[in-house]
Amino acid sequence: MKRKSITSRDVALLAGVSQSAVSRSFSPASSVSEKTRKKVMEAARQLGYRPNTIARSLITRSSRTIAVVTYSLQNPFYAYLLEKASRFLQQQGYHLLLFFAPQNGDFDMVVDDLIRSQVEGVLMLAITLTQHQAAEVADFGIPVVIINRTVEYSGISQVGSDNFQGGYWAGRYLASLGRQRIAYLAGIPESTTNRQREEGFKAGLAAEGQTCFLYDVGHYRYDDACDAARRLFAARQREDMPDALFAANDLMAIAVMETLRDELNLTVPDNVSVVGFDDMAMSAWPSHSLTTLQQPVEQMIARATELLLKHINNPDALPEQLVLPVTPRIRQSTAPTVLSKSTY
């Protein structure tokens, strides 16, 4: 025997409220009294009712869905950003769809998927776009906000950290510790975050009368950073090796520290001082105690999601480009040389 389909009308009759009150009770961002919401939820529980979000989207022409586009969640920092964005948007009554973009920058398939999914807005998490790609995305009329990347195109809202100033601090700080052979481990060389951090780092070294001692690339990945560490510290003589290193993110910095300790018989910070960038949760673990530049994750997500909702609700709102400050977190992965007594 086919079971009778339970509708919002059945819930409204049992709860003694209107159908519109039932609809509002299942929309977190809608205005409804807590007393009414409890009555509706209890009636829905008794009847086994579940709202049909697809049917509702056809009636309201609102999918209440936000797309998040990223390359990978291998970096725990990106997973943390995604969690914060998801929790914030759920509180506003939105659902998230996750899309993975190809590393080669071919967005045609992703854009097609976004359009078919009828999302109301898009958060691009650490996605590198060219000016042409940014303009192409904006032309589809779907509100977009980029987080933790920048693009030289004023038609899309962007929220990021002050990467240059963070790199500048790292260069000056390591030099101030008396370190003389300071290396840089790049992320994805062409990404805006890497370029800005590298430029700031070299400017900070120059302010202390130094230049970058050695350079390698880790692509923001753990395994690639381990390989880079082996190359950077392959010299037989200690004076030909770096005595300090700035990595473009924490994941690579931790990879370097573990490679130095487990494979190369070098200690941190006695032989090598290490600085990262992000301040992901594991960076503060005692086994790492990584000195790093903390990105303001809570503020980044809050501002980015607020901007996206503003663009959804007001398509004529002008795009904004926000740069938020970073904060040094000095821990045990850095120390002065024996001859230096830094007061930086």
Side-chain angles (χ1 to χ4, degrees):
M1 181 177 178
K2 187 176 180 179
R3 182 182 177 186
K4 177 180 177 293
S5 178
I6 304 299
T7 68
S8 62
R9 178 179 174 80
D10 298 319
V11 177
L13 288 173
L14 181 59
V17 300
S18 66
Q19 277 186 271
S20 63
V22 174
S23 178
R24 293 197 306 274
S25 294
F26 282 96
S27 300
S30 297
S31 174
V32 63
S33 71
E34 189 59 29
K35 181 179 178 181
T36 297
R37 192 188 300 276
K38 287 182 178 179
K39 289 169 62 177
V40 168
M41 293 303 175
E42 176 58 24
R45 186 191 65 77
Q46 291 182 29
L47 295 172
Y49 170 76
R50 297 292 184 271
N52 189 334
T53 55
I54 296 176
R56 182 189 300 166
S57 70
L58 293 174
I59 296 171
T60 63
R61 297 186 183 276
S62 171
S63 67
R64 305 296 293 179
T65 302
I66 301 295
V68 176
V69 184
T70 187
Y71 290 126
S72 169
L73 293 179
Q74 184 187 59
N75 185 346
F77 180 72
Y78 296 155
Y80 183 59
L81 282 174
L82 177 61
E83 177 190 346
K84 291 296 181 182
S86 179
R87 291 185 184 279
F88 183 91
L89 288 167
Q90 283 177 357
Q91 291 172 359
Q92 309 304 312
Y94 284 88
H95 307 284
L96 262 63
L97 285 178
L98 182 60
F99 294 84
F100 287 99
Q103 289 280 6
N104 62 11
D106 181 5
F107 286 94
D108 290 345
M109 185 179 298
V110 175
V111 171
D112 288 345
D113 286 343
L114 292 175
I115 294 171
R116 284 197 299 268
S117 301
Q118 296 184 329
V119 296
E120 293 191 42
V122 180
L123 286 175
M124 289 196 168
L125 177 57
I127 292 289
T128 299
L129 293 179
T130 65
Q131 288 183 353
H132 174 74
Q133 289 169 334
E136 190 176 38
V137 170
D139 285 344
F140 281 103
I142 304 174
V144 175
V145 176
I146 301 175
I147 305 177
N148 204 37
R149 285 289 191 275
T150 58
V151 59
E152 294 179 359
Y153 175 72
S154 60
I156 287 183
S157 288
Q158 306 166 45
V159 179
S161 296
D162 195 338
N163 296 300
F164 180 91
Q165 189 58 42
Y168 184 83
W169 180 89
R172 290 203 65 187
Y173 172 66
L174 288 171
S176 76
L177 296 178
R179 303 288 168 164
Q180 298 292 318
R181 306 182 303 278
I182 307 174
Y184 179 67
L185 181 55
I188 299 172
E190 63 272 17
S191 69
T192 54
T193 49
N194 179 79
R195 291 203 310 267
Q196 292 161 2
R197 291 170 192 178
E198 181 178 340
E199 290 168 2
F201 170 67
K202 290 178 177 178
L205 288 179
E208 298 293 328
Q210 291 201 39
T211 58
C212 183
F213 178 68
L214 287 176
Y215 172 97
D216 214 305
V217 178
H219 302 103
Y220 293 128
R221 295 178 177 274
Y222 181 91
D223 290 342
D224 290 351
C226 290
D227 290 339
R230 297 179 188 110
R231 293 189 295 268
L232 287 167
F233 293 88
R236 291 181 177 276
Q237 301 299 320
R238 186 66 56 83
E239 58 268 21
D240 295 324
M241 300 179 187
D243 61 4
L245 179 141
F246 172 47
N249 75 351
D250 283 0
L251 188 63
M252 295 193 300
I254 288 172
V256 169
M257 292 168 65
E258 292 184 345
T259 302
L260 293 176
R261 178 192 64 203
D262 297 338
E263 298 181 24
L264 304 178
N265 197 31
L266 294 171
T267 61
V268 175
D270 294 339
N271 299 135
V272 186
S273 282
V274 178
V275 173
F277 201 113
D278 282 341
D279 196 30
M280 61 185 188
M282 67 175 66
S283 300
W285 293 358
S287 56
H288 301 134
S289 193
L290 175 66
T291 295
T292 186
L293 282 305
Q294 181 187 64
Q295 296 205 68
V297 174
E298 302 277 356
Q299 191 179 1
M300 286 171 66
I301 292 299
R303 297 304 300 273
T305 48
E306 287 167 2
L307 273 175
L308 187 61
L309 295 180
K310 182 173 78 171
H311 290 313
I312 291 171
N313 296 321
N314 180 12
D316 295 327
L318 295 176
E320 300 180 35
Q321 289 78 41
L322 306 179
V323 178
L324 306 177
V326 296
T327 304
R329 297 299 184 199
I330 299 176
R331 300 192 179 104
Q332 295 179 12
S333 68
T334 53
T337 61
V338 175
L339 300 178
S340 171
K341 300 295 182 181
S342 173
T343 57
Y344 192 87

